[in-house]
Amino acid sequence: MFRAVVLDVDSTLAAIEGIDWLAAQRDASIARQVAELTSEAMDGRVTLDVVYGRRLAIIRPTRAEISALAAQYIATAVPGARAALARWRAAGVRIDLVSGGLRDALLPLADWLGIAHSHVHAVDVEFDRDGVAARVRAPAPLASAGGKALVVKTLRLPSPALAAGDGATDAELAGIVQRFVAFTGVVRRPHVVALAAGEVTSFDALSTIVLGS
Ligand SMILES: [Mg+2]
């Protein structure tokens, strides 16, 4: 049995990407600019932290939109996730969410999943006077490449710990925790699977690994 689990949120616990969802609330040109920035980051032409800030400055999400995104995270929660987390918690497993998403949008999902806010590690934003979140609040390690590894190292997790996620930033945890599992129930990225010690498509399958069979 694993004593701690680190989970990604976007395309792992929930079947959406928060930034894309916020961009989709804007017109097509905004969505296109955001998609271009994302692909520039994936190609390595710009760093993740620069892209993160630029995307936010283009989308300029309002407080109301971030609340709507929070509701979407719950509405699109991956089937079986909530029940699995309840079983892990009952078995004494520590659970942390480590996400590049917006913390304000993730807290209601954490409440719904029964995870304390102190176990939610994400990106804080600054709201301006009009209630627009146009800037990341520094320091924001989770808005940068290498941020997940940096944050997880500071958590002093009990061993053995397992991490699960769909993205390249999650795969950075492969050398930090005792086991990294690729979660491919929403999207399957072969380069992430290649770095993982296992692949699961459901939280029931993940539970079998976490709790031991
Ligand atoms: Mg993800």
Side-chain angles (χ1 to χ4, degrees):
M1 186 179 109
F2 284 87
R3 294 177 65 204
V5 176
V6 172
L7 287 174
D8 174 48
V9 177
D10 293 51
S11 299
T12 297
L13 269 171
I16 53 169
E17 289 289 328
I19 286 285
D20 293 346
W21 188 88
L22 288 169
Q25 310 309 303
R26 300 284 178 269
D27 62 31
S29 89
I30 298 267
R32 196 164 50 239
Q33 287 179 59
V34 169
E36 275 168 22
L37 278 169
T38 303
S39 75
E40 280 180 28
M42 284 180 171
D43 295 345
R45 282 180 281 155
V46 273
T47 59
L48 183 64
D49 55 329
V50 169
V51 162
Y52 203 104
R54 279 195 206 154
R55 288 190 304 198
L56 210 55
I58 292 170
I59 301 170
R60 298 175 54 80
T62 63
R63 252 184 230 286
E65 287 167 335
I66 290 173
S67 294
L69 171 58
Q72 280 300 307
Y73 273 123
I74 295 171
T76 64
V78 166
R82 191 185 191 204
L85 269 59
R87 290 198 297 275
W88 304 349
R89 200 163 36 246
V93 179
R94 171 180 167 159
I95 304 167
D96 287 85
L97 306 186
V98 178
S99 166
L102 304 182
R103 182 177 166 82
D104 292 316
L106 299 183
L107 292 180
L109 174 71
D111 291 340
W112 184 74
L113 293 169
I115 296 171
H117 292 189
S118 58
H119 286 231
V120 179
H121 316 280
V123 176
D124 282 304
V125 289
E126 286 174 359
F127 288 93
D128 66 17
R129 245 175 281 158
D130 301 325
V132 170
R135 288 163 47 136
V136 169
R137 184 184 302 151
L142 291 168
S144 305
K148 288 202 176 189
L150 209 67
V151 166
V152 169
K153 276 185 203 165
T154 66
L155 297 181
R156 299 175 183 281
L157 296 176
S159 182
L162 173 147
D166 66 291
T169 56
D170 303 306
E172 289 166 1
L173 297 175
I176 308 294
V177 293
Q178 282 65 44
R179 193 182 305 180
F180 169 67
V181 175
F183 183 82
T184 57
V186 178
V187 54
R188 187 177 194 277
R189 307 181 207 279
H191 62 286
V192 174
V193 174
L195 294 167
E199 173 185 359
V200 294
T201 57
S202 72
F203 272 78
D204 278 345
L206 189 56
S207 256
T208 305
I209 298 172
V210 170
L211 299 176
S213 46

